[in-house]
Amino acid sequence: MQSVVANASRRPVTGNLVVRASFRLHQLRSFTSLNSETPYNICFLRHGQSTWNRDNRFIGWTDTPLTEDGILEARAAGSIIRKSGMMFDEVHTSLLRRSIRTVNIVLMETGQEYIPVSKSWRLNERSYGDLVGHNKKDMVKKFGKDQVKRWRRSYNEPPPPMAPDHPYHPKFEPRYRDMIHKIPLSESLKDTVERSSVYWDRVIAPSLKEGKTLLVVGHENNLRSILMRLEGIHQDDMIHLSLPRSQPLAYRLDEETLEPLDSTLDGATGFLRGHWLGGDQTVAEILDRDHKQVYDTTIEHNLETESSQWKTTLMANKEAHAEYEEDERKVAS
């Protein structure tokens, strides 16, 4: 592009040059996206609250369902996306139902149930090994805050491996019957990066380069693994990056390099060049609550089940959607 601009001052643009430039643009964007109202081309979303999120337990590949609050969170996320004007051409998610159901709810809220949804084990949450099923705060009391944080957030320190007879071993799930040998007994973030990168390179990146707008619904550590690579975050800094549930994170990516086009870091985490569609302040409040829920042993009650500002925000979005549905009914009648 620089050579074209430089040469433009020396000679007129020829017809052949215009044809070549148009052909190159056509190659880059060979697909006409449904997303014509926003500049974003990918949105990341963590699933809504599951039963084990509510109970503060390590989940990993365990297939826990959404709670009633989790359904509300997913509806609120869909409402936020709908109000942003962002539309998608396809969705990518894991094989776990808390993520799959979040996809279904979000697409219902946005009126896009018709678009294709791809599911892959490579987008599953990281394996938490022998920690699976245990209460997180109990593990903090037993092993200490620093150790649990390294297991949860560091780049290359996996939790202790899961025993073959562990009651929540994924090998008992029929969805993995053809890939028993691939089931990890424990994973670090590094391991998760390796498997999510395969899916990004083979599936997501080609779709983005075609000009499609994508929704990726997943799990905290799997999304962290994707964002680490996308943002070029150093492995030593990853221990400080956490992601909230049900808060859409939208990016403008260069269609050729797939690098973020914005230079300003978000105000909630300080690491990301995407835009929290629900606002940085809401995200910051949720992350603060999540941190206390796991690491603050002076708090004995469950912060996931008490009324707070983040839940008030979700209710506001639910009420806004109810008004929208009522308006739609009036128009239809």
Side-chain angles (χ1 to χ4, degrees):
M1 181 62 72
Q2 290 178 344
S3 62
V4 173
V5 174
N7 290 335
S9 61
R10 303 178 198 170
R11 64 169 190 235
V13 178
T14 64
N16 287 338
L17 184 58
V18 172
V19 170
R20 288 199 301 271
S22 299
F23 179 70
R24 181 171 178 274
L25 180 61
H26 176 73
Q27 284 183 313
L28 287 176
R29 182 176 272 280
S30 57
F31 182 89
T32 301
S33 176
L34 293 169
N35 183 44
S36 60
E37 301 298 321
T38 79
Y40 308 116
N41 49 3
I42 191 167
C43 183
F44 299 100
L45 180 68
R46 186 181 167 198
H47 61 80
Q49 184 196 64
S50 75
T51 52
W52 281 16
N53 290 135
R54 178 197 61 202
D55 299 340
N56 207 21
R57 300 169 73 182
F58 284 99
I59 310 176
W61 284 33
T62 309
D63 198 28
T64 56
L66 295 183
T67 62
E68 289 301 313
D69 277 348
I71 294 170
L72 173 59
E73 288 179 4
R75 291 195 66 184
S79 176
I80 291 170
I81 292 171
R82 176 180 54 78
K83 288 192 290 185
S84 78
M86 193 173 187
M87 296 185 70
F88 306 105
D89 303 302
E90 58 189 42
V91 185
H92 300 269
T93 193
S94 72
L95 296 182
L96 299 169
R97 58 178 167 170
R98 59 188 183 272
S99 186
I100 295 170
R101 192 169 187 196
T102 298
V103 168
N104 294 339
I105 294 169
V106 167
L107 293 183
M108 288 176 64
E109 291 294 313
T110 59
Q112 283 206 277
E113 298 100 316
Y114 54 87
I115 63 175
V117 178
S118 298
K119 307 180 185 77
S120 173
W121 69 273
R122 294 187 183 278
L123 297 181
N124 277 12
E125 175 61 298
R126 63 177 284 198
S127 169
Y128 269 114
D130 196 48
L131 296 178
V132 169
H134 289 286
N135 182 276
K136 296 174 185 176
K137 191 164 286 186
D138 287 346
M139 294 298 97
V140 169
K141 293 176 181 178
K142 182 176 181 178
F143 296 104
K145 175 180 175 180
D146 291 342
Q147 178 60 73
V148 172
K149 189 169 186 178
R150 291 200 303 273
W151 281 334
R152 296 185 71 224
R153 295 289 177 263
S154 71
Y155 178 67
N156 56 10
E157 185 173 345
M162 178 179 283
D165 61 347
H166 195 288
Y168 299 112
H169 198 297
K171 68 182 179 182
F172 302 118
E173 287 279 351
R175 75 197 71 190
Y176 305 122
R177 65 185 181 277
D178 295 327
M179 53 165 287
I180 297 295
H181 63 290
K182 294 182 180 179
I183 296 175
L185 298 181
S186 181
E187 287 182 300
S188 63
L189 183 63
K190 178 182 178 182
D191 299 322
T192 313
V193 167
E194 289 175 0
R195 63 173 163 90
S196 67
S197 293
V198 172
Y199 193 82
W200 178 275
D201 292 340
R202 293 179 182 176
V203 182
I204 294 178
S207 288
L208 288 169
K209 290 184 178 181
E210 287 178 5
K212 294 180 179 179
T213 302
L214 309 184
L215 173 63
V216 180
V217 179
H219 310 266
E220 183 170 20
N221 285 290
N222 198 283
L223 293 176
R224 287 174 70 239
S225 76
I226 294 173
L227 291 171
M228 176 185 179
R229 187 178 177 209
L230 182 67
E231 291 278 5
I233 303 172
H234 192 275
Q235 63 186 52
D236 293 342
D237 291 327
M238 286 305 296
I239 198 168
H240 304 297
L241 177 62
S242 298
L243 301 175
R245 293 191 310 267
S246 297
Q247 290 296 315
L249 176 64
Y251 274 84
R252 297 190 309 128
L253 302 182
D254 183 280
E255 290 182 0
E256 193 169 1
T257 65
L258 300 186
E259 294 180 356
L261 290 173
D262 296 296
S263 57
T264 303
L265 296 176
D266 73 306
T269 74
F271 288 102
L272 307 173
R273 287 173 284 176
H275 298 148
W276 295 106
L277 298 182
D280 285 6
Q281 183 60 37
T282 298
V283 171
E285 291 174 1
I286 297 173
L287 292 178
D288 180 64
R289 180 212 60 183
D290 290 349
H291 181 84
K292 292 176 180 176
Q293 172 79 342
V294 175
Y295 298 110
D296 192 339
T297 56
T298 66
I299 299 176
E300 296 294 337
H301 58 285
N302 189 344
L303 298 178
E304 286 275 3
T305 58
E306 70 176 18
S307 178
S308 58
Q309 179 59 43
W310 70 270
K311 193 169 289 188
T312 300
T313 301
L314 294 175
M315 287 302 298
N317 280 299
K318 181 180 180 182
E319 291 168 1
H321 183 72
E323 293 176 2
Y324 168 79
E325 288 183 325
E326 180 62 27
D327 290 342
E328 289 291 290
R329 283 193 290 269
K330 290 178 180 178
V331 171
S333 60

